[in-house]
Each structure stands twice: as C-alpha cells, then as structure tokens.
Amino acid sequence: MFLDTVLTRNPELVEAAAGLHRRGEIPPDTYVMDLDSIEANAALLAAEARRLGLGLWFVVKQFGRNPELIRAVARHIPRYAAIDAGEARTLHAAGARAGNVGHLVQIPRRALPEVLARRPEAVTVYDLDNARAVSGAAGRLGFTQDVLVRLEGADGTVYPGQEGGVPLARLDTFAEAAEQLPGIRIAGVTAFPCVLCDPATGTPAPTANLLLAVKAREILAARGHTDLKLSAPSATSMASLPLLAEAGATHGEPGHALTGTTPLHALDPHQPEKPAYVYVSEIAHTLDDGRPALYGGGFYARSHIRSALLPRTGARLGVQDAPAENIDYYRLLDAPGEGQDIRLGDTALLAFRTQIFVTRSTVAVVSGLSRGAPRLNGLYDAQGRAL
C-alpha cells in the first residue's frame, strides 16, 4: 500500500532496513521505524494544530506503544489518547501526559483509581454506568473529573468490536442523570470514526458521526454546559486538520499521520508527513509451484498490502491475499518470472497499513537517517518492551 511512497520519500529508510536484515541485526517479522521522521511529523502536526487553534492527543497503538517513539512525539504533542488502561500505563511510563483515556476501550472499573490518579484531561464514557464509576473513583481521590460523552455511531459507520455510546436521541436523559453525579463534569463529546479517507482518492471527509457530535455539543450547550470539547478522531492528519477546525472540533487524535501512513499518503506521495516505517521479512521456503513464502507475524487484515521488494535483485513481487481468520505463519508472494533469482533467506521489504500492537512482531527503532548516519537504537516487542 505504501511501498511506492516510502521508496520515493524515504529511500534512506529502505536502504537501512535492508542492511540491518542482511547483517543479521534484525530478524524477519520486524517493523523498522524511522525515529527522526516520526518526530518531524509530530512537529508538523503540532504547528498546524496551533495555527488552527486545535488541541491534539496522540495515539500510539499503530507503532507498537514504543517508548522511544512516544518520547519523540511527546516533545511536540505532550498529551496522549490511550485506547485502553494498559496503553495508558505504557504512555505514562514513557513520560507522556494523559489527555483522553477510555477513547476506544472503556477503563475497567478496578483500573480507574490508577488511571485517574494521573489526572487525565478527559475520560470518555459510553454509558451512565461508566459515568457513575468514574464519578465514584474521582470522588474517592478528591477531585472532579472531566468526561467526554461518546455518541453512538450512525448506522453503517461502526466497526465490529467498537459498538457503544449514548444515542443522540437519549443524550438529554443521559445528561440529566450525569449532572447529578458529584465526581464528574460533562466537558464535551466524541464519536468514532469522525473522518474517513475516500477509498479512490484518499481525500479525508467528515462522516455522519462528526455531524452527530456537533449536534450533541449543541444539546449540551443548551443545557448550560460551557467550554465543551469536541474530539473528532480517525484520519487526523495535516490534510484533515483544517476540516476539523471548520467543523468546530476542538481536538484531533493523530495516529497514522505520525508515521505518514494514512490512506491519503498511499495515493499522494507529496503529503507533508513523511512515511516512517517498513516491514522486513525474508524468504522462508518456496512452494513446488514456485511461489515464495515469507515469514509472517506482522500482517494485518486491513493492511491493503500489494507488493514486496526483494532488495538483493530489485525484484517486485505481488503479495497474495490471505483470509483474516487464519494465523499468518507465512504470506505467499506471486511466483517469480522467468530468470528471476529467489533464494532462501532473501530480504523482503513491504510497507502497508498496520496496527503493530495486535501483531507478534519485533519493532526496531532507527535514528540518524535524516543526518545520513543511521543507528539502530534498539529492539522492542509489539507492546513496547525492550528486547
């Protein structure tokens, strides 16, 4: 999906990743992350958000909750949106500050004291029971916690496994009850996804959920709530920040923009954010019909992967589809053409949309590419633990 873009915009990363594997410094099933580019992307996003009067909470699940990358991003975007309690713990340990927690996964009731003690800017709640739990935990800690009301998504917009939220038609009823809870203050609204990229052009556009969130904020304002936030996550990037500002959002939650890997970046190599990772595998074996098999472990069902580069020969081979319900022990390539030389152990480089935290991959952090002096900083697992 991103191989042409990364070859065009970041050939130094491609060369460094191939060299690391060739020398045996990284194993197959490794994502090589360009720390310099990720930090530069964060700086771009932060500057544009300031220009537009927007706040940002950064997301890290897609690059493996990596502490080095967290610190690099937090130098420019200090606060995070944690998708769950475990991620919040990792972000806190790396020195980032709590922005929005509970944003995709509600904070378990027994984890609330630990999470709230970090004084997040906002906690997203999906229903009244979670609002009550946050109120009770905050009260026992001696403060009032700001909460964002998650809106139930519009029909046809909700991804499986992400269901939940307050229906717009029942927001008044929810608010009336939540206003009686002493440990929380209704501070705004959120929904997901609020922006999506057009499959054909990559252009970001608002979804029906963003319109729902705008209406929800109007309902809460009519009830007397002031200074209401509107966080509009999904596809937050340099291209979509003006759209968020125009719609009246107060916050975006950049994730893939930090690595230059939104759908728009796959189609437009001239986007400001620079692509900042490649996936490294190697030829594990060859089928009798000539199709090479790569070691797997890091392939993602929604990756839209198309081709692999074999640096030793420069060959580009198509990547065959694989059903999401099967474990990715291997991934098959198209059979090579007449005279193409494929060898056991050959390096294979790919670039596609990923969510590293759900893989079993290694993450290699490389710095110095922007100065022409690449250095392997370290290896980590997909949850950010040093190897």
Side-chain angles (χ1 to χ4, degrees), residues 167-188:
L168 186 69
R170 292 205 286 277
L171 180 58
D172 261 319
T173 302
F174 170 90
E176 184 177 5
E179 287 160 2
Q180 306 308 309
L181 298 173
I184 63 169
R185 183 184 79 90
I186 295 176

Side-chain angles (χ1 to χ4, degrees), residues 13-26:
L13 172 60
V14 174
E15 182 179 350
L20 287 169
H21 180 259
R22 184 176 62 250
R23 296 189 297 272
E25 296 180 56
I26 60 172

Side-chain angles (χ1 to χ4, degrees), residues 134-367:
V134 173
S135 175
R140 287 187 288 275
L141 290 169
F143 59 85
T144 301
Q145 174 63 56
D146 280 358
V147 299
L148 301 183
V149 183
R150 160 75 173 251
L151 277 301
E152 182 181 67
D155 289 345
T157 67
V158 179
Y159 299 124
Q162 297 184 26
E163 300 87 355
V166 177
L168 186 69
R170 292 205 286 277
L171 180 58
D172 261 319
T173 302
F174 170 90
E176 184 177 5
E179 287 160 2
Q180 306 308 309
L181 298 173
I184 63 169
R185 183 184 79 90
I186 295 176
V189 296
T190 188
F192 187 87
C194 288
V195 177
L196 288 176
C197 294
D198 182 275
T201 66
T203 304
T207 69
N209 294 330
L210 181 52
L211 303 179
L212 281 176
V214 170
K215 290 178 183 175
R217 184 168 61 176
E218 292 170 355
I219 290 170
L220 294 176
R223 296 186 62 87
H225 296 281
T226 59
D227 299 322
L228 290 167
K229 297 179 175 66
L230 194 168
S231 185
S234 186
T236 304
S237 66
M238 292 289 284
S240 67
L241 286 174
L243 181 157
L244 297 187
E246 183 178 351
T250 63
H251 287 75
E253 301 184 9
H256 273 284
L258 296 168
T259 49
T261 52
T262 76
L264 178 57
H265 290 84
L267 297 170
D268 182 2
H270 304 295
Q271 286 300 301
E273 301 97 331
K274 190 174 183 179
Y277 67 75
V278 292
Y279 181 67
V280 180
S281 187
E282 68 179 67
I283 303 298
H285 60 279
T286 302
L287 277 62
D288 190 56
D289 62 11
R291 288 178 293 167
L294 302 181
Y295 289 105
F299 293 103
Y300 174 61
R302 295 172 57 212
S303 64
H304 303 289
I305 187 169
R306 296 195 180 100
S307 66
L309 170 68
L310 306 181
R312 184 178 62 82
T313 63
R316 286 277 292 270
L317 298 179
V319 180
Q320 300 194 345
D321 290 338
E325 61 266 25
N326 289 82
I327 299 170
D328 66 327
Y329 297 111
Y330 303 102
R331 193 67 179 264
L332 292 175
L333 303 181
D334 292 340
E338 185 71 28
Q340 285 187 313
D341 178 27
I342 304 295
R343 300 178 188 174
L344 180 70
D346 271 352
T347 302
L349 298 181
L350 308 93
F352 49 85
R353 187 172 177 86
T354 189
Q355 296 286 337
I356 292 176
F357 83 116
V358 298
T359 73
R360 56 187 189 275
S361 302
T362 298
V363 175
V365 177
V366 175
S367 64

